[in-house]
Amino acid sequence: MKEIVEVAVGLPVFKTFHYRIPEKMKGSLQVGMRVLVPFKGRKVTGFAINLLDQSPKEIEEKLLEVEDLLDEVPLIDPQMLRLCRWTADYYLYPLGEVIKTGLPPGLHLKSELILTLTQQGMEYLAQGGSEAIQQKIFREIERCGKVSLKRMLKIFPGEVTKSQLFSWMRKGLLNIHGAIEGKEIKPKFERVVKYRGGEAVRPISRKQAEVLKWMEEKGEVSYSELGKTFKSPSKAIRSLEENGLISISDREVCRDLSLRPELKSYPKPELSSDQEKILIEILKGIHSKQFSPFLIHGVTASGKTEIYLRAIEEVLTQGKEAIVLVPEISLTPQLLSRFKDRFGENLALLHSGLGKGERYDQWRKIWKGGVKIAVGARSAIFAPFKNVGIIIVDEEHDPSYKQEEKLRYHARDLAVVRAKQDGATLLLGSATPSLESFYNAENGKFHLLSLPERIEGKPLPRVEVVDMKKEGGLLSEKMRRALQKSIEEKKQSLLFLNRRGFANFILCPDCGLTFKCPNCSVTLTYHLRDRSLQCHYCDYRVPAPGDCPKCEGHRLRGMGIGTERLEEELGTLFPGARVGRMDRDTTTRRRSHQQILKRLETGKIDILVGTQMIVKGHDFPNVTFVGVVSADTSLHFPDFRASERTFQLLTQVAGRAGRGAAFGEVVIQTFSPDHYSILKAKDHDFIGFYREEVEFRRALEYPPFSRLINFRLVGNSERRTKAIAEEMGRIAQSLLRKRYQKGMEILGPSTAPFAKMRGKFRWQMLAKGKSVPLLHQFAKELAIRLEDGTKGTGVNLDIDVDPVFIL
Ligand code: ADP
Ligand code: ZN
């Protein structure tokens, strides 16, 4: 009998912990189950990751006991645990937190410290004798009855500290105790009634006979349906059950109201010969039952999605499962209904737009083996399948596959790892593969497959570049003429501008004042609709002033344009046209994203203005013109991937044009018409772009010729953050001298490009090297040596392995 369990807690701690297994759980506690364990005076959810006969020697102190067993069967199977272990190790992140990332929310019970006022505290408040802040806090606790300590620190940042609260507790004014907060999400059941028939033992009433007859036709119905047909049927139902004529039971139901895609039919086409050729290669991989990685480089609308569908069909016939990753934003109704049409109910969807219950149910469908296909955004890589045959990553270059907070994993990279671990086929697809993936393909790590032409030989759109140095105003002559033509021909246009709001910032021409976010080192964007100034990073907002608050000048003016202003301008330029806008401001409501696309699809919009939301995943045959208002926004980003990102955006957005019968046209406006990102995008020349970019990366030893780890320090105090950054630099240099001299380089520490963000000060240091194990070793040592220095300072170290953007 195993005595001890090793537990990874769902908290930001690296170590795992050992607990004694109480008698009553012996035999039932298994690896992969959730347990509730005591932890630093609280109770937290952890995951059993190992069972041992006795406690490890080095742990001398008396072990605590597991408090509660939360599962009857393991939630996490050994394969998933293996993937999580790899992830934790690679991204230098606590295992418990990694496991948690893979699970739907609502499975983590945790006790929190809860504050309540004591009798004495209430009297104290009533007397009003305390200082203002104490009054404010006590009043808040009184108002809520009880409130968690965490929440108090959040609503009164900087005004109250934990130790202050505890000192009030010691004075007898507050109670602080641990209690389990929140509700665990559980499967949802509904009561169903089933017709059984047969002879009645006892005579039945007229109403019962009526219900019974109806039931005979229906077979099985839910209680709620029954209630809609008959008035208060409970009594009749109970008698019928006693009579043995019907049975009552519970049936698990799926909460999936917000993700019913439109049912449309997409006839299954004959494959083109190009498609046929590459599918044969992929099928060979699938049949080999071994890890078979492919990169499909296929221009926009070349039929990649159809290839995915066929490959999945094959995997299903082998009794295996499929995971399909798509960028969050392109989880459009179109893609979903195409999958639904082909695979019916055999599908689970995982993305952040779902409610908690819905997400849990989708996850559970996979976990129970009820479906064989999971489609979702990055977290779907943790879909709890047991027998994965294929993993597909659509638009594999997309930066949204990288999670930019907490566990900073890259779903495409994890897809490679999982496919390898599970011996599955891997399909990475894109019109603009990432440099890394294409480099891997060139070096034989991935098998390269190409779809160089659009389906049915449709030409790629013609792209023209306009030099804005020679133009005045917002829209060039060429752009205006193209829009005009498209309107006259009753076609549709997309206009891409990667900046929302009305004006980029406002400026007083008399004294030069601009408005900065108090929390972030950026200027505030002017929004016309609610006449506000907003920060796009922390959502800080204030009413826009009429006059300059500094010199009282009357000439405040907006500089730089955003989508809101573009929309307005188009209304003036083309009075008859119906202009729509899709950006974060117009898509805050649930489903509004889909509604805008629907309006475009049904021809109710002539020109759709949008940020990068319009770039991906849509297929609208009537869109013939695409305009890029400013290609410079992404080009001048302070990041070594700026050129790549620009090329990708331009190619993808241009790819939206001319997908139907009519020829597509694209106009790109820029102040850098000679930049290779722009020239190569103009010629639809990915390979040409790749050649130039890869030389640049080689020369500067950037990925794929090196690996990077970014160490970022984020803190409330500018002074302390800087001091710790300097300390980090010293440690790094001394480590470098001792062990890492060869094969590694350190850049920084220096302030991050956005030195302040959401009220926190940011410093960073970049480690660059060729050997992954060496870099990891260095990162671990650095983190350990820095740990003491950061404790209690409010400065946190955030390690980003293979950062996508170093901002
Ligand atoms: P991609 O994923 O490369 O953008 P899709 O698979 O979406 O390309 O294909 C683009 C369009 O062509 C879609 O409308 C799709 O239904 C259609 N299509 C794909 N393959 C074929 C084919 N073999 N014959 C006819 N139409 C096809
Ligand atoms: Zn801000």
Side-chain angles (χ1 to χ4, degrees):
M1 229 19 141
K2 302 287 185 190
E3 299 286 333
I4 307 291
V5 58
E6 185 183 359
V7 175
V9 291
L11 291 172
V13 279
F14 276 96
K15 280 202 302 194
T16 54
F17 298 88
H18 293 82
Y19 292 89
R20 248 171 338 102
I21 306 175
E23 222 38 61
K24 60 175 194 277
M25 286 177 209
K26 282 185 185 159
S28 45
L29 175 57
Q30 294 171 42
V31 167
M33 290 181 173
R34 289 173 306 152
V35 286
L36 199 64
V37 290
F39 188 81
K40 291 194 178 160
R42 293 198 289 161
K43 286 170 201 153
V44 299
T45 300
F47 305 95
I49 57 165
N50 205 1
L51 298 178
L52 302 92
D53 294 317
Q54 57 192 59
S55 57
K57 288 225 165 49
E58 64 276 16
I59 305 175
E60 300 291 351
E61 77 263 51
K62 212 162 159 262
L63 289 183
L64 297 171
E65 268 196 356
V66 174
E67 183 94 17
D68 202 358
L69 182 55
L70 301 175
D71 293 307
E72 284 161 20
V73 280
L75 271 190
I76 305 129
D77 71 75
Q79 280 183 48
M80 182 57 67
L81 195 54
R82 184 172 59 161
L83 178 69
C84 290
R85 280 185 195 275
W86 189 94
T87 307
D89 195 52
Y90 187 80
Y91 292 105
L92 304 162
Y93 208 72
L95 178 59
E97 293 270 282
V98 172
I99 297 174
K100 207 164 119 178
T101 307
L103 294 173
L107 291 178
H108 314 284
L109 297 178
K110 180 163 86 181
S111 77
E112 299 236 25
L113 293 174
I114 304 296
L115 311 177
T116 47
L117 286 184
T118 59
Q119 193 58 37
Q120 201 188 333
M122 281 186 217
E123 283 161 16
Y124 194 71
L125 180 64
Q127 287 157 12
S130 50
E131 36 176 324
I133 177 66
Q134 193 176 1
Q135 279 279 337
K136 212 157 81 178
I137 284 164
F138 278 31
R139 221 174 297 123
E140 179 67 17
I141 301 175
E142 190 187 35
R143 196 178 64 79
C144 304
K146 58 176 190 175
V147 60
S148 79
L149 185 137
K150 214 160 115 195
R151 199 177 128 72
M152 282 314 261
L153 297 179
K154 206 164 171 180
I155 35 187
F156 299 110
E159 293 186 77
V160 65
T161 61
K162 210 164 150 181
S163 62
Q164 178 72 76
L165 290 167
F166 274 90
S167 85
W168 289 331
M169 179 189 80
R170 284 190 296 273
K171 285 190 190 143
L173 302 172
L174 288 180
N175 261 326
I176 302 184
H177 64 279
I180 302 262
E181 278 298 283
K183 225 172 80 197
E184 188 185 3
I185 292 196
K186 294 243 159 88
K188 189 175 170 187
F189 289 94
E190 68 176 2
R191 184 138 285 191
V192 290
V193 184
K194 216 184 205 151
Y195 177 79
R196 287 175 63 181
E199 285 293 313
V201 191
R202 276 173 280 152
I204 60 175
S205 72
R206 228 177 70 208
K207 178 158 183 188
Q208 289 174 29
E210 232 175 90
V211 172
L212 192 65
K213 184 151 173 286
W214 186 76
M215 284 294 311
E216 190 175 358
E217 276 167 36
K218 293 272 173 178
E220 186 179 286
V221 290
S222 70
Y223 221 85
S224 59
E225 203 183 332
L226 204 93
K228 278 182 212 145
T229 315
F230 298 96
K231 223 174 117 196
S232 36
S234 323
K235 210 172 133 228
I237 289 295
R238 223 173 314 120
S239 312
L240 286 170
E241 192 201 11
E242 281 162 14
N243 237 324
L245 299 170
I246 59 166
S247 63
I248 303 175
S249 58
D250 285 332
R251 172 172 73 185
E252 192 176 334
V253 289
C254 186
R255 289 160 280 203
D256 65 351
L257 294 171
S258 70
L259 38 75
R260 301 241 168 92
E262 197 182 356
L263 288 180
K264 269 206 319 205
S265 93
Y266 296 84
K268 191 167 163 178
E270 288 279 319
L271 290 187
S272 70
S273 64
D274 277 346
Q275 282 173 318
E276 194 74 59
K277 254 194 297 199
I278 76 167
L279 185 63
I280 287 171
E281 293 296 313
I282 295 167
L283 294 185
K284 274 189 221 157
I286 292 171
H287 295 147
S288 78
K289 301 192 171 147
Q290 279 172 8
F291 173 53
S292 315
F294 297 94
L295 173 65
I296 308 180
H297 172 220
V299 297
T300 51
S302 59
K304 295 184 290 297
T305 310
E306 186 57 39
I307 295 285
Y308 305 154
L309 296 172
R310 300 287 174 118
I312 293 171
E313 282 174 358
E314 185 62 25
V315 165
L316 295 184
T317 63
Q318 299 205 332
K320 292 197 169 186
E321 297 134 0
I323 297 176
V324 186
L325 302 186
V326 290
E328 180 81 58
I329 218 98
S330 66
L331 272 171
T332 58
Q334 252 180 9
L335 181 106
L336 296 186
S337 60
R338 210 162 145 193
F339 267 80
K340 199 93 186 170
D341 180 55
R342 197 65 61 91
F343 300 113
E345 293 301 314
N346 199 3
L347 207 60
L349 302 170
L350 295 165
H351 65 97
S352 59
L354 305 180
K356 271 192 182 175
E358 289 173 331
R359 247 171 93 181
Y360 174 77
D361 284 355
Q362 294 296 313
W363 181 89
R364 205 173 138 78
K365 273 208 282 194
I366 302 170
W367 182 74
K368 287 203 311 186
V371 295
K372 297 281 182 203
I373 306 169
V375 182
R378 60 176 176 252
S379 67
I381 193 57
F382 294 106
F385 283 129
K386 296 184 171 59
N387 193 11
V388 176
I390 194 166
I391 302 178
I392 296 170
V393 186
D394 189 27
E395 312 283 6
E396 68 87 28
H397 66 277
D398 197 285
S400 75
Y401 284 124
K402 175 79 193 241
Q403 175 148 300
E404 290 293 5
E405 49 170 35
K406 294 187 179 155
L407 171 59
R408 292 167 159 270
Y409 69 101
H410 198 303
R412 182 238 296 139
D413 295 348
L414 283 190
V416 180
V417 173
R418 185 165 185 187
K420 208 169 188 171
Q421 288 187 346
D422 294 359
T425 295
L426 172 75
L427 295 188
L428 307 178
S430 176
T432 52
S434 62
L435 260 273
E436 285 81 356
S437 293
F438 204 79
Y439 184 75
N440 279 337
E442 278 212 313
N443 288 298
K445 274 198 188 165
F446 299 157
H447 188 49
L448 181 66
L449 304 170
S450 301
L451 288 172
E453 279 176 24
R454 280 187 163 181
I455 285 295
E456 290 162 355
K458 263 171 218 154
L460 284 162
R462 188 178 66 224
V463 183
E464 289 188 78
V465 175
V466 175
D467 183 354
M468 291 307 278
K469 293 197 292 290
K470 298 180 187 145
E471 299 276 334
L474 188 58
L475 298 180
S476 59
E477 180 65 32
K478 228 175 217 145
M479 185 83 91
R480 271 179 288 161
R481 255 188 288 139
L483 285 167
Q484 183 65 44
K485 179 165 157 256
S486 161
I487 293 165
E488 278 163 14
E489 291 173 354
K490 303 227 174 320
K491 300 288 186 204
Q492 293 169 303
S493 306
L494 298 182
L495 272 195
F496 171 62
L497 176 61
N498 217 1
R499 203 190 286 139
R500 64 198 172 87
F502 192 79
N504 201 15
F505 59 97
I506 55 178
L507 170 89
C508 172
D510 298 327
C511 72
L513 181 76
T514 58
F515 295 82
K516 293 239 163 59
C517 174
N519 311 316
C520 310
S521 32
V522 295
T523 51
L524 296 171
T525 305
Y526 178 55
H527 288 247
L528 179 67
R529 218 185 109 188
D530 51 3
R531 296 188 192 279
S532 67
L533 293 172
Q534 296 180 16
C535 173
H536 287 179
Y537 293 89
C538 73
D539 284 332
Y540 171 86
R541 63 185 67 197
V542 283
D547 291 331
C548 176
K550 192 169 151 206
C551 73
E552 292 173 13
H554 305 306
R555 302 198 297 150
L556 282 181
R557 77 165 74 123
M559 309 294 288
I561 50 150
T563 44
E564 198 184 9
R565 162 118 182 262
L566 182 60
E567 182 190 16
E568 192 183 273
E569 200 112 328
L570 288 166
T572 321
L573 274 173
F574 308 105
R578 293 160 302 172
V579 182
R581 169 159 64 97
M582 187 156 81
D583 57 25
R584 224 180 82 197
D585 298 319
T586 63
T587 54
T588 46
R589 274 180 305 116
R590 219 171 142 105
R591 301 191 78 88
S592 46
H593 184 229
Q594 277 108 320
Q595 278 159 9
I596 296 172
L597 291 176
K598 188 86 210 162
R599 273 169 56 217
L600 186 68
E601 191 178 358
T602 51
K604 298 201 172 76
I605 293 179
D606 299 312
I607 306 174
L608 180 65
V609 171
T611 54
Q612 53 187 333
M613 281 188 182
I614 64 169
V615 172
K616 283 170 280 193
H618 322 304
D619 193 1
F620 297 111
N622 206 33
V623 171
T624 53
F625 177 68
V626 168
V628 177
V629 178
S630 166
D632 306 307
T633 332
S634 57
L635 201 54
H636 300 305
F637 242 53
D639 190 273
F640 76 91
R641 285 192 172 92
S643 305
E644 181 181 15
R645 186 79 192 114
T646 304
F647 176 81
Q648 288 167 351
L649 279 171
L650 295 178
T651 308
Q652 298 283 349
V653 75
R656 301 302 119 207
R659 292 170 77 100
F663 190 68
E665 284 189 74
V666 179
V667 169
I668 298 174
Q669 301 188 154
T670 175
F671 285 95
S672 317
D674 302 321
H675 194 282
Y676 65 96
S677 295
I678 290 168
L679 293 176
K680 298 299 178 190
K682 172 181 187 298
D683 296 337
H684 309 287
D685 182 9
F686 171 78
I687 306 282
F689 171 76
Y690 172 80
R691 295 266 167 263
E692 289 219 19
E693 181 67 11
V694 95
E695 283 321 309
F696 159 75
R697 302 275 181 97
R698 197 194 305 274
L700 296 180
E701 292 208 314
Y702 272 123
F705 301 97
S706 67
R707 296 299 191 96
L708 302 175
I709 298 184
N710 195 23
F711 301 89
R712 179 175 296 144
L713 290 167
V714 181
N716 296 318
S717 145
E718 187 169 14
R719 188 180 52 79
R720 274 203 213 140
T721 313
K722 179 167 182 248
I724 292 174
E726 283 163 357
E727 172 67 10
M728 174 167 77
R730 276 192 296 276
I731 296 174
Q733 290 306 331
S734 91
L735 283 175
L736 212 57
R737 275 194 303 277
K738 268 195 226 135
R739 252 188 305 270
Y740 300 93
Q741 200 75 300
K742 261 192 258 123
M744 253 193 71
E745 191 187 339
I746 298 286
L747 307 170
S750 58
T751 51
F754 294 109
K756 193 179 173 197
M757 203 52 105
R758 296 183 191 90
K760 309 237 179 189
F761 296 89
R762 296 148 35 104
W763 280 71
Q764 67 187 28
M765 182 179 84
L766 203 59
K768 204 159 112 177
K770 287 197 195 298
S771 153
V772 178
L774 191 78
L775 273 178
H776 272 77
Q777 190 54 41
F778 171 82
K780 278 181 196 159
E781 271 195 63
L782 181 81
I784 291 167
R785 291 203 27 197
L786 202 60
E787 208 171 3
D788 286 337
T790 53
K791 219 168 253 168
T793 59
V795 180
N796 287 315
L797 175 64
D798 177 10
I799 301 178
D800 191 351
V801 179
D802 297 336
V804 167
F805 295 120
I806 313 167
L807 290 180

